[in-house]
Amino acid sequence: MSAHYLGIDVGSGSVRAGVFDGYGRCLAQAAHPISQFRPEANFVEQSSDEIWDACVAAVRDSIEAAGIPADSVRAIGFDATCSLVALGADGRPVSVSPTDDDTQNIVMWMDHRATAEAAEITATGHDALRYIGGQVSPELELPKLLWLARNRPDQYERAAIYLDLADYMVARAVGELGGEATPGKSTCTQVCKWLYLAHEGRWPTDLLNRLGLESLLDKPRMAGPIREPGAPAGRLAPDVAEAFGLSGEITVATGLIDAHAGALGMLGDDPEASLAVIAGTSTCHIAFSREPCFVPGVWGPYWGAVLPDGWINEGGQSAVGALIDHVIRDSAAYADLMAEAKAQGVSHFDVLNARLDAMEAERGAATLTRDVHVLDYHHGNRSPLADASLTGIVTGLTLGTGIDDLAVRYLATLQAVSYGTRHIVEALNANGHQVTRLRLCGGILKNERWLAEMADATDLPIELPTEPETVLLGSAMLAVAACGEQPDLRSAAAAMSGTDRVIEPRGERRAFHDAKYRVYRTMHAHQMAYREIMGGGH
């Protein structure tokens, strides 16, 4: 009987499950939506129980769609967004919300309530911050915990267990919640989001003491084993196996943050020369190296966060897909655009891309956005400026309200988010990396125009994966390594991933994009000047 492996991805808006064979082929997948709660400005919350229920449904649907025997699944791998889960000693949810609703027990990665706390931790200048690019983002877990301790001490103390979402999924799968077992955690989550120094095997206890967070080190809040990604975390608990519709001895792998699973799914056999770009609501950029590279404003270097024998640096953009959607929905032409897309039976992106093709054929490619420029910091800059207080800028606006006017602003936004990636690549290569190509996954794969603009803006070839669902594939690779089908994650990545095609940059557009990139960088300088004029406030 053939063996199969499950990859489960908890994203920002849905839980997906995919069934894979040992060659990295996705036989079937299913998705179930999950909610986001926004009780106040900058607050974004979720429910761990709702996420788990969606996971159960997605697994059952994917198994049914694949048509495989229930006892052919050998192992399961999980990935999830880097969101903070609060639980009581019994493993039940504890509220982190101003609503005090215990079902809202997750502070999402995109929640920015802890911006001031992040700045305060950054201001300590602690040596541990060298391993997160010198800047602390409100998307990390310590600022969120510091906010809770100061603003909602009742909630902070009620929670006996704090877990990253990927670790929560693994712990629930193996039955480590609500019993005597202390939940295990992943090197990936602890190093990347909790300031654990894996290369030294220790916590920065003096920093925790300085912040008044020393109680986090008490069991079971941050105690328990920290395992390499892909290491076996245990066996699937019998009641979970029954809920999933599975049978037999099933290994559960130690998990990954979702972006890191996507990077793993694209690695191939030469990760150190590539930059993995995982593009979705936000975008993550993961670069691998054999030696630590210290890149200002870029998270890391993280030891063992994806591969147990190397380092990564992680850049990112806080709003990419979300920004593109915002630009489209914010336009007066939005209703007309959606009506035209419905009439043609295509995506609204297809309509915009076709309009751009027609306008370029008539006017020339370089003319469309020559005077329209976007600075894509609408939700701050994650890398390499590491400033969550930054805001977006659009120049070249007119009174035009038609679909063609929207298409030009949409194109300028695609170019802006591509320049954001170029900025990150420049920072990486100036500090020890040698990125010569991009490997992309996520929603960008569905948009040929975006792919072309990315290649042109960065002047780098883009390798597209054979399996487009690389985040799910990365989680399946964890499963394959955990059950011993492959000896390690490098071997699993080499055996299960491949390149479908390559998009080369168009050399004739290089000068145009170089000029626009200079404008892009200048717009940030102007924003800083505006702040200075207005008294330096944010």
Side-chain angles (χ1 to χ4, degrees), residues 144-182:
K144 296 171 183 174
L145 289 163
L146 185 58
W147 187 96
L148 284 170
R150 290 176 172 175
N151 294 276
R152 290 303 306 266
D154 55 330
Q155 293 178 348
Y156 178 77
E157 292 301 332
R158 277 187 65 209
I161 303 169
Y162 291 111
L163 292 172
D164 240 77
L165 184 51
D167 296 327
Y168 165 81
M169 300 298 289
V170 171
R172 187 152 181 178
V174 301
E176 288 181 341
L177 296 178
E180 295 183 0
T182 302

Side-chain angles (χ1 to χ4, degrees), residues 241-262:
E242 182 179 1
F244 283 178
L246 302 175
S247 61
E249 293 290 319
I250 299 171
T251 301
V252 177
T254 301
L256 284 171
I257 297 168
D258 54 351
H260 299 68

Side-chain angles (χ1 to χ4, degrees), residues 366 419 422 426 453-460 505-518:
Y419 299 141
R422 175 170 172 171
E426 286 184 352
E453 296 298 332
M454 179 74 82
D456 292 343
T458 61
D459 198 38
L460 291 173
R506 294 168 288 190
E508 69 274 13
R509 302 196 180 194
R510 176 66 186 271
F512 171 74
H513 284 288
D514 285 349
K516 277 192 68 77
Y517 181 62
R518 290 196 298 272

Side-chain angles (χ1 to χ4, degrees), residues 205-347:
T205 53
D206 57 333
L207 176 60
L208 296 176
N209 290 336
R210 180 172 176 178
L211 297 172
L213 295 176
E214 61 275 6
S215 65
L216 287 172
L217 296 175
D218 297 336
K219 291 184 178 183
R221 291 187 176 183
M222 289 172 71
I226 297 176
R227 310 181 185 101
E228 297 175 353
R235 298 288 186 181
L236 192 66
D239 61 322
V240 177
E242 182 179 1
F244 283 178
L246 302 175
S247 61
E249 293 290 319
I250 299 171
T251 301
V252 177
T254 301
L256 284 171
I257 297 168
D258 54 351
H260 299 68
L264 178 62
M266 292 186 287
L267 277 185
D269 57 1
D270 185 20
E272 279 74 27
S274 305
L275 178 66
V277 181
I278 303 92
T281 303
S282 63
T283 292
C284 289
H285 306 72
I286 296 179
F288 296 82
S289 61
R290 292 288 189 175
E291 299 296 329
C293 297
F294 294 88
V295 186
V298 173
W299 294 338
Y302 299 136
W303 170 255
V306 177
L307 298 172
D309 60 349
W311 300 81
I312 67 165
N313 285 94
E314 180 186 352
Q317 294 162 272
S318 294
V320 176
L323 174 58
I324 295 166
D325 291 341
H326 169 75
V327 168
I328 294 172
R329 292 194 182 104
D330 197 47
S331 170
Y334 176 66
D336 291 341
L337 170 66
M338 300 308 291
E340 184 168 334
K342 183 177 181 180
Q344 295 183 23
V346 299
S347 161

